[in-house]
Amino acid sequence: MNDDGTALLTIGALARATGLTVRTIRYWSDEGALPVVARSAGGYRLYDAGSVARLELIRTLRELGLGLDDVRRVLAGERTVAEVAAAHVAALDTQIQSLRVTRAVLSTVARRGSTAEEMTLMNKLARLSAAERRRIMEEFVEELFHGLDSVDSDIHERMRQTAVNLPDDPTPEQVDAWVELAEMVQDPGFRAQMRGAAEFNAADRRHDTPPGASTWFAKRLVELAGRAREQGVDPAAPEAEKVLRDLIGTADRATVLDRMRRVHHPRLARYRELVGVLKGTPVSAHEEDFAWVVAALEFRAGR
């Protein structure tokens, strides 16, 4: 019995009062979270009413996932419950994000029917830190435009903004897109292809060409060729001639054709599509519109 006349509880009585097992209470007691109040004549542990309240707090904190070290600090007054909770929330957020990535990777593996080697690469790429993912994309863009000061600044800025990151809660499609994009920008063949397009853009521009001229041409092409395609105009049809005149005027058609072959290719279109998936804003690469103009130019170049 305590000095205040209240009865002391054996570990068995404490277990019955709280619904916890004797083994759990003994473990928490051995770890210093639940101090023994006294010992019986036979050396058995004894606890009091305060031990019941303390045990309930320990159970609550443990159910919330806190480790015994944090529990002991809270009980000793070294840290407040709010401080520990905030730290635990941050840890849980990291764990949740990791689980989401794991789920997305596994969903992608299941959908693709990936091999063990592909799954390993996919998991590695998906788990890169945000800084590592950004570094991969920024190095790609830096190499793409290195030394090309005359490249259309609008194009340069658009490419710089594609240094996208994998979202915190990625869908399987976004994991798939990031893996494909990371593989693509690290492929020497694709980098050389993109570098060639950038060099062509730089060589084709005069010092007085305004920024955005390259994108203006692309927008105009999509508008005119898209309308022609909707109307069912064949690239070899006489009606296609007016579309070409409206688009390129009196410019040398062989030069325009060469430029389009260099700058607009399926892998660049795929690059844009992947970036759109990652940003959550799917985009159309309008490859059919560009292909229509190329076909119209090729038909007339062969005549």
Side-chain angles (χ1 to χ4, degrees):
M1 184 171 290
N2 273 331
D3 295 338
D4 59 5
T6 57
L8 293 174
L9 302 171
T10 64
I11 195 169
L14 190 59
R16 290 190 294 273
T18 60
L20 293 164
T21 65
V22 169
R23 182 178 181 179
T24 297
I25 295 172
R26 182 179 293 114
Y27 172 69
W28 288 349
S29 186
D30 289 343
E31 292 296 315
L34 183 68
V36 174
V37 172
R39 292 275 181 176
S40 68
Y44 292 104
R45 310 171 197 230
L46 296 175
Y47 303 90
D48 58 11
S51 301
V52 177
R54 187 180 181 94
L55 200 52
E56 289 293 350
L57 177 57
I58 295 171
R59 172 161 58 183
T60 299
L61 294 174
R62 292 291 287 158
E63 286 176 350
L64 290 172
L66 271 66
L68 278 175
D69 286 341
D70 282 328
V71 171
R72 281 194 295 268
R73 292 189 185 100
V74 169
L75 294 172
E78 297 173 5
R79 298 187 72 184
T80 66
V81 172
E83 289 171 341
V84 172
H88 197 54
V89 166
L92 283 175
D93 285 343
T94 300
Q95 185 178 11
I96 289 169
Q97 181 179 349
S98 177
L99 288 172
R100 284 171 173 165
V101 172
T102 297
R103 184 182 185 280
V105 169
L106 290 175
S107 296
T108 299
V109 168
R111 190 176 67 255
R112 277 186 171 188
S114 303
T115 64
E117 292 77 11
E118 290 171 334
M119 182 179 66
T120 299
L121 174 61
M122 194 181 307
N123 189 51
K124 179 181 178 180
L125 290 173
R127 292 188 182 282
L128 291 175
S129 69
E132 290 170 325
R133 287 193 289 265
R134 182 164 291 277
R135 177 186 56 77
I136 287 174
M137 297 302 296
E138 288 179 345
E139 285 182 353
F140 165 66
V141 174
E142 181 181 352
E143 178 182 315
L144 182 62
F145 295 109
H146 180 69
L148 302 179
D149 297 333
S150 60
V151 164
D152 190 331
S153 59
D154 189 65
I155 295 290
H156 193 171
E157 180 61 18
R158 284 172 178 266
M159 289 297 295
R160 189 187 65 79
Q161 290 178 359
T162 63
V164 291
N165 193 15
L166 188 65
D168 290 339
D169 186 11
T171 64
E173 291 75 19
Q174 286 174 319
V175 170
D176 212 0
W178 163 249
V179 170
E180 185 178 342
L181 186 65
E183 292 171 333
M184 182 180 288
V185 300
Q186 294 177 92
D187 173 24
F190 177 71
R191 293 171 86 109
Q193 196 172 25
M194 291 292 283
R195 174 70 180 186
E199 290 173 344
F200 192 83
N201 180 277
D204 191 47
R205 286 176 59 80
R206 299 190 305 271
H207 71 279
D208 58 344
T209 304
S214 301
T215 55
W216 178 89
F217 175 80
K219 290 176 182 177
R220 182 68 172 157
L221 182 151
V222 169
E223 176 188 350
L224 295 175
R227 186 186 306 150
R229 288 179 53 248
E230 288 177 1
Q231 295 172 352
V233 177
D234 188 274
E239 294 85 351
E241 179 63 31
K242 182 179 185 305
V243 177
L244 293 179
R245 286 199 305 269
D246 290 344
L247 178 62
I248 63 178
T250 59
D252 182 74
R253 295 189 175 187
T255 301
V256 174
L257 178 58
D258 185 33
R259 172 174 181 157
M260 291 192 64
R261 285 170 171 166
R262 289 172 182 255
V263 176
H264 301 285
H265 48 80
R267 296 193 79 187
L268 174 57
R270 182 58 178 161
Y271 175 91
R272 291 172 179 152
E273 290 173 356
L274 294 172
V275 169
V277 171
L278 285 170
K279 288 186 172 182
T281 54
V283 297
S284 171
H286 299 288
E287 276 305 292
E288 292 180 346
D289 298 327
F290 284 99
W292 188 95
V293 173
V294 169
L297 289 169
E298 287 177 338
F299 175 78
R300 284 153 183 81
R303 297 174 65 179

